[in-house]
């Protein structure tokens, strides 16, 4: 509901889609994420949502934007609670953040992102080295660095905090909980259509 409210506040015509909606005719589909990878994938598979997402991303002038667990679901598999297959839209895996001295997991709070200077990046340079809100225990390891849009440090670990592959975008951080900068990032999505 927080991402719904954020999108509504920036002027998007917004609708929450449940498993009863059979066709996604929207311009931007947002896959939020709260909970565990295996239960989320179980829900997507059981209700036919997985197949609808896969159909959606092959349409022209459409964007799939994924947040936090939603970004992790884009990948091939996750190690959370054993190995679980994801949507497989981006090559790579999801792993648990490593324990480090004097650093608590989950990673909760504000952290800077460092933009990867690739041509496919959807994150404007004005968002570089700015703070965004994170809450996660797992992180994505994309196979191809040219799909990484930003990095973030967690102690001695630097992890991928945003990805893009064609019209498939994701952030490990929560733009909807990141104040004015996050709202501007969400608003910029329509420029990619």
């Amino acid at each position: 509901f927080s991402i719904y409210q954020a999108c509504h506040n920036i002027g998007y015509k917004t609708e929450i889609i449940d498993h009863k909606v059979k066709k996604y005719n929207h311009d931007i589909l947002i896959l939020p994420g709260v909970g565990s990878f295996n239960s989320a994938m179980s829900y997507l598979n059981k209700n036919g949502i997985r197949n609808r997402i896969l159909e959606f991303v092959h349409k022209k002038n459409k964007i799939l934007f994924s947040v936090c667990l939603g970004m992790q679901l884009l990948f091939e598999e996750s190690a959370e609670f054993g190995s679980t297959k994801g949507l497989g839209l981006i090559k790579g895996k999801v792993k648990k953040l490593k324990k480090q001295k004097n650093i608590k997991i989950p990673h909760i709070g504000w952290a800077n992102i460092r933009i990867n200077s690739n041509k496919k990046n959807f994150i404007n340079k004005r968002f570089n080295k700015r703070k965004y809100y994170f809450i996660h225990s797992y992180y994505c390891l994309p196979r191809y660095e040219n799909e990484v849009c930003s990095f973030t440090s967690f102690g001695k670990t630097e992890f991928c905090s945003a990805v893009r592959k064609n019209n498939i975008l994701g952030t490990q951080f929560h733009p909807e909980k990141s104040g004015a900068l996050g709202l501007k990032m969400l608003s910029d999505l329509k420029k990619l259509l």
Side-chain angles (χ1 to χ4, degrees):
F1 290 104
S2 60
I3 198 148
Y4 170 86
Q5 194 59 51
C7 289
H8 180 74
N9 290 346
I10 59 175
Y12 284 162
K13 184 178 175 186
T14 310
E15 175 186 9
I16 294 176
I17 301 172
D18 63 18
H19 64 278
K20 295 172 192 161
V21 177
K22 301 299 180 197
K23 285 209 170 194
Y24 300 158
N25 296 317
H26 308 76
D27 295 324
I28 301 170
L29 181 65
I30 298 178
L31 182 61
V34 175
S36 67
F37 192 100
N38 56 356
S39 61
M41 280 308 304
S42 175
Y43 180 82
L44 295 180
N45 288 327
K46 182 175 75 175
N47 292 293
I49 297 171
R50 178 185 190 276
N51 291 336
R52 283 174 235 153
I53 291 170
L54 297 179
E55 287 171 17
F56 177 86
V57 298
H58 289 98
K59 294 178 182 177
K60 287 188 176 184
N61 301 317
K62 303 290 182 184
I63 292 172
L64 172 62
F65 181 67
S66 306
V67 176
C68 197
L69 173 62
M71 176 174 135
Q72 294 174 10
L73 296 173
L74 299 175
F75 286 77
E76 295 173 293
E77 68 177 294
S78 173
E80 187 175 6
F81 300 119
S83 181
T84 304
K85 288 191 177 187
L87 293 169
L89 292 168
I90 294 181
K91 301 284 186 194
K93 298 180 179 186
V94 179
K95 295 196 168 192
K96 189 170 177 82
L97 288 167
K98 293 176 184 173
K99 290 183 180 180
Q100 300 175 57
K101 191 176 179 181
N102 300 322
I103 296 179
K104 291 183 181 179
I105 296 174
H107 173 212
I108 301 175
W110 296 82
N112 289 325
I113 66 169
R114 180 178 58 80
I115 291 177
N116 187 15
S117 57
N118 67 47
K119 292 180 183 174
K120 298 177 183 177
N121 204 331
F122 70 97
I123 301 176
N124 190 292
K125 289 180 182 177
R126 72 178 172 271
F127 299 114
N128 194 31
K129 297 181 182 174
R130 304 293 291 272
K131 290 188 182 294
Y132 300 87
Y133 187 76
F134 289 82
I135 177 165
H136 62 114
S137 298
Y138 288 78
Y139 69 102
C140 300
L141 278 168
R143 185 181 300 173
Y144 304 113
E145 191 174 326
N146 68 343
E147 293 173 352
V148 176
C149 293
S150 71
F151 299 96
T152 297
S153 293
F154 176 71
K156 295 178 182 178
T157 303
E158 187 174 68
F159 63 88
C160 166
S161 54
V163 291
R164 179 178 188 178
K165 179 181 178 184
N166 303 321
N167 63 333
I168 302 163
L169 321 171
T171 59
Q172 184 63 64
F173 54 89
H174 288 265
E176 79 282 8
K177 296 180 180 180
S178 298
L181 269 178
L183 294 180
K184 182 61 181 156
M185 191 178 288
L186 286 173
S187 182
D188 282 357
L189 292 176
K190 62 183 176 235
K191 296 176 183 175
L192 302 172
L193 291 170

